[in-house]
Amino acid sequence: MLEVRDLSKQFENFRLGPVSFKVDKGSHFVLLGPSGSGKSLILELISGFQKTDAGSIHINGVDITNNAVQKRSAAFIFQHAALFPHLNVKSNIAYSLNEMNMTRSEKATRTHELAARMSVSHLLNRKPETLSGGEIQRVSIARALAADPKILLLDEPLSALDVQMRASLREILAQLKNDGITMLHVTHDYEEAVRLADKVGIMHDGQLVQYGTMRQVFQSPSSGFVAHLTGQRNYYEAILDEQPNDKLKVAHINGIQIRLFSNAPSGRGLLIIAEDQITLATSAPTLSAQNHLEGIVQSINKLAVGTEAVIDAGVILHVKLTDESVENLKLFSGKAIHVFFKASAVRFLSF
Amino acid sequence: MGKKSLFYYAIALLGGLVLLFIAAPLINMFLASSPQALIDTVSDKEVSSSIARSLVLAMLATLFFGIFAIPFAWYLARYNFPLKRFVSGLIDVPVMIPHSAAGIAVLGVLNRDTGFGKLAGSIGIDFVDRPAGIIVAMAFVSLPFLINGARDAFAAVPQKLEKAALNLGASPLRMFFTISVPLALRGIMSGFVMMFARGMSEFGAVVIIAYNPFTAPVLIFDRFNAFGLKAAQPVSVLFILVSLIVFIGLRMLTKNSDHARS
């Protein structure tokens, strides 16, 4: 669908690329990286706001590298949505429709359809300055969809929103994915990537340092940088049980029960166990921890600071330990070990 | 606290002197013009037609040259190019040079002996002692006010709004008229009013190119030259009053157009 080949851009103090990746039709591709890594620049190059120095950009096999901005069919959603302040919501949504060969009634119908889809029908006569952050982003997405783009380019769309609005907009993005909208999404927030991405690309210093499915990148980071950025490797697809009126819930991974605190609704999601909040013991003492698993040490890896033990307890667990703990526990590969962690060390992110 | 108070008193005194400096000649002129003299001036056809000519020609100069100046101002606000600082400086030159010199410069290009003058003459346009010449002279000295005002207004429009319009499929022309101009309208209108005001009151450049037909400033000079101070004062008072009414009207229109889009 979208293919970026050896894209590069040189500035006085920064060089992007060469960067290559593909975004499949109907998929949600997330470029994840810290500020200044060049991920937003990639969106600007694809949208034509910046000219490329080298490389090419293809949409559905057509080279659009040198096309004018208005002839790329790649709709850009800005971090701080760029709604036109002098136009009301209806005119904002309908802006691109004036470029199309449509009758007035067709335009009105399309505008109302999109407004309904983004739940902003009640705001059509309002000016952008009177809208909340979440409403602004929903209008912004409706306006982008009106142009009937081949791909949505999302530049940190959730970062300017509060927690509640984020959740609501995340649902909308998930719905767009279900509707088959292709999205290239830039963020520095790994949770956003975890929740939404089919594939993720990790950006660092202008380079795409890793690129693959969420599982490949999060569970097998190719470098210390990727591991640090994603933060977690104890990351599993899980199913959360329905337990109304009870904050202590149970999630299932490969037949293993994990107890956790969560307000998330029951169903599929991602479960993350903090590496530095797992306790190992050679026997089974009585502890307040809600989760107790038995496993085998698979490997022990020396880190720059401390040690990492990889435990197979039905699920693969990465555990951070001090060197002193490794010595006291007399850890070695193949040793049987008890694993404990509190319910509060577990997080569940709904799909 | 006492020292601070003294400081504020000093500022008030200095400010008052500045205001007095501006207001005293105007007040004196108003007081020196008797009501009868003003009534006679209003019914003086030469005076009323010169004031009307000043207003109409200044408006035409503003509208005609605005067609060129507004897109150019947008370009100046949005793009960097070689010699941009020189170009910006060049735009300000007409404001800084003596206006009689500006008139001489314009006449040097527009007179009937130059290539441009002959070319214009061949299609029936004559500038010397003609309204067309007055329009050019007014525009030459007042255009910087419009270009600079509009440029600053365009620069204040967030560029990402223009990018968003293009990204939504708008042509650059549609983007300009539906996003850039409406959002910069207040500054553009302010520039229009400034250019109009400056053009309408222009004497130095206009008198070089067209002593006749009289614009109001040239008529004031002519009355002063021929009949002295007393004869020039009522014409000046009337011209100032008409100018004030027009400016207040235009400012209110500008303000209303700004409210209308917010």
Side-chain angles (χ1 to χ4, degrees):
Chain A
M1 200 283 148
L2 171 73
E3 186 175 359
V4 169
R5 294 181 198 155
D6 298 324
L7 198 63
S8 66
K9 177 82 180 171
Q10 176 75 54
F11 292 99
E12 203 171 310
N13 304 317
F14 180 77
R15 178 175 174 77
L16 173 77
V19 167
S20 300
F21 61 89
K22 283 183 186 175
V23 181
D24 297 329
K25 187 170 170 55
S27 72
H28 193 130
F29 187 104
V30 171
L31 279 174
L32 179 65
S35 297
S37 59
K39 55 193 192 304
S40 292
L41 178 57
I42 290 177
L43 292 193
E44 296 206 343
L45 292 168
I46 294 169
S47 60
F49 296 158
Q50 297 262 3
K51 290 216 177 302
T52 56
D53 287 348
S56 59
I57 302 157
H58 305 258
I59 291 183
N60 288 343
V62 178
D63 187 344
I64 60 152
T65 316
N66 297 312
N67 283 13
V69 176
Q70 63 271 26
K71 296 194 186 298
R72 295 195 173 218
S73 209
F76 201 105
I77 307 288
F78 293 84
Q79 179 179 357
H80 299 282
L83 293 186
F84 305 130
H86 58 304
L87 303 180
N88 64 17
V89 167
K90 193 197 302 182
S91 301
N92 263 283
I93 295 174
Y95 188 82
S96 66
L97 301 179
N98 293 321
E99 296 296 322
M100 299 175 188
N101 192 18
M102 295 172 91
T103 64
R104 186 174 288 193
S105 69
E106 284 170 339
K107 284 177 197 168
T109 306
R110 179 89 175 121
T111 304
H112 282 94
E113 273 172 13
L114 287 163
R117 189 171 169 188
M118 289 296 126
S119 310
V120 293
S121 297
H122 59 297
L123 305 172
L124 284 175
N125 294 317
R126 296 256 297 268
K127 284 283 179 72
E129 67 193 10
T130 68
L131 307 180
S132 69
E135 289 168 341
I136 285 172
Q137 279 301 29
R138 293 209 302 271
V139 174
S140 179
I141 292 170
R143 186 179 71 172
L145 292 175
D148 201 17
K150 295 190 172 69
I151 186 167
L152 280 186
L153 306 175
L154 306 156
D155 188 8
E156 306 255 11
L158 308 182
S159 64
L161 305 179
D162 64 33
V163 175
Q164 278 186 332
M165 286 178 181
R166 271 184 198 206
S168 147
L169 197 64
R170 216 161 25 223
E171 278 176 29
I172 286 174
L173 294 179
Q175 186 57 48
L176 290 178
K177 189 165 104 179
N178 290 340
D179 293 346
I181 305 281
T182 311
M183 286 175 273
L184 175 56
H185 178 159
V186 151
T187 182
H188 65 274
D189 181 350
Y190 87 95
E191 278 195 28
E192 217 170 296
V194 163
R195 288 171 190 261
L196 293 166
D198 297 316
K199 281 191 179 172
V200 64
I202 308 292
M203 292 295 300
H204 181 42
D205 277 347
Q207 300 294 326
L208 185 63
V209 292
Q210 195 173 358
Y211 154 45
T213 64
M214 291 302 303
R215 183 177 296 279
Q216 286 165 342
V217 173
F218 277 69
Q219 294 196 332
S220 310
S222 65
S223 66
F225 170 77
V226 178
H228 177 73
L229 183 71
T230 56
Q232 308 292 340
R233 278 184 289 167
N234 297 327
Y235 152 96
Y236 319 92
E237 279 192 24
I239 296 169
L240 192 66
D241 270 357
E242 176 71 55
Q243 279 155 324
N245 308 321
D246 194 355
K247 281 206 163 181
L248 184 63
K249 297 193 175 173
V250 175
H252 301 270
I253 315 165
N254 301 336
I256 294 170
Q257 288 193 349
I258 305 286
R259 289 185 172 79
L260 68 152
F261 294 113
S262 176
N263 291 320
S266 61
R268 286 178 64 243
L270 292 150
L271 187 140
I272 296 169
I273 305 168
E275 297 179 20
D276 53 359
Q277 292 181 46
I278 298 174
T279 304
L280 299 182
T282 49
S283 57
T286 306
L287 295 174
S288 62
Q290 289 282 343
N291 293 291
H292 173 205
L293 304 174
E294 290 180 26
I296 304 290
V297 177
Q298 279 203 324
S299 63
I300 300 164
N301 309 309
K302 191 85 183 79
L303 302 176
V305 178
T307 300
E308 178 198 63
V310 181
I311 315 287
D312 183 354
V315 293
I316 301 296
L317 286 164
H318 298 259
V319 184
K320 278 187 183 164
L321 301 161
T322 60
D323 294 341
E324 197 180 3
S325 298
V326 174
E327 207 166 292
N328 290 341
L329 290 166
K330 297 186 174 59
L331 286 187
F332 57 87
S333 293
K335 184 181 172 83
I337 199 87
H338 294 267
V339 181
F340 300 90
F341 49 91
K342 292 186 168 187
S344 58
V346 184
R347 297 174 64 204
F348 185 84
L349 310 174
S350 296
F351 281 140
Chain B
M1 188 64 195
K3 277 186 182 175
K4 197 177 172 186
S5 298
L6 196 62
F7 173 69
Y8 285 118
Y9 283 129
I11 286 179
L13 179 66
L14 293 170
L17 287 172
V18 169
L19 288 177
L20 189 64
F21 173 71
I22 295 168
L26 295 173
I27 293 167
N28 177 60
M29 188 167 64
F30 274 74
L31 294 176
S33 303
S34 68
Q36 188 55 49
L38 277 175
I39 291 165
D40 292 344
T41 306
V42 169
S43 56
D44 183 337
K45 280 255 167 28
E46 192 174 41
V47 173
S48 56
S49 64
S50 72
I51 291 175
R53 188 172 294 115
S54 291
L55 292 172
V56 169
L57 295 183
M59 186 54 77
L60 287 174
T62 306
L63 294 175
F64 180 74
F65 285 88
I67 293 168
F68 301 88
I70 303 298
F72 181 48
W74 176 81
Y75 188 83
L76 286 173
R78 283 290 175 255
Y79 293 97
N80 287 318
F81 51 88
L83 300 177
K84 184 175 176 179
R85 286 171 69 93
F86 170 76
V87 170
S88 297
L90 188 65
I91 289 164
D92 290 332
V93 166
V95 178
M96 292 183 284
I97 61 174
H99 286 190
S100 50
I104 295 290
V106 173
L107 185 62
V109 175
L110 298 184
N111 75 72
R112 294 166 187 124
D113 299 328
T114 65
F116 185 82
K118 284 175 185 164
L119 182 70
S122 69
I123 55 169
I125 301 172
D126 200 359
F127 293 100
V128 179
D129 287 335
R130 293 286 189 283
I134 296 172
I135 288 173
V136 174
M138 284 176 166
F140 186 79
V141 294
S142 61
L143 201 51
F145 292 98
L146 176 56
I147 295 175
N148 290 335
R151 182 193 56 202
D152 293 346
F154 282 127
V157 175
Q159 211 168 345
K160 78 172 179 180
L161 297 178
E162 295 179 345
K163 286 181 177 177
L166 293 174
N167 182 252
L168 290 166
S171 65
L173 189 69
R174 180 166 176 243
M175 174 210 78
F176 180 72
F177 282 112
T178 59
I179 305 300
S180 315
V181 170
L183 291 175
L185 195 58
R186 190 179 185 185
I188 293 171
M189 291 302 287
S190 199
F192 264 121
V193 172
M194 288 299 293
M195 180 178 173
F196 172 69
R198 189 66 202 83
M200 190 177 72
S201 56
E202 177 56 22
F203 168 74
V206 169
V207 79
I208 299 287
I209 292 173
Y211 195 92
N212 272 299
F214 285 138
T215 60
V218 177
L219 180 68
I220 291 166
F221 173 76
D222 187 72
R223 291 278 168 98
F224 174 70
N225 230 10
F227 307 110
L229 184 63
K230 283 285 172 197
Q233 277 173 331
V235 186
S236 303
V237 168
L238 191 62
F239 186 47
I240 289 170
L241 282 174
V242 171
S243 303
L244 281 175
I245 292 166
V246 171
F247 290 149
I248 291 165
L250 284 174
R251 283 286 181 201
M252 284 173 74
L253 274 178
T254 313
K255 216 173 179 182
N256 287 341
S257 71
D258 191 49
H259 283 168
R261 67 181 182 82
S262 61

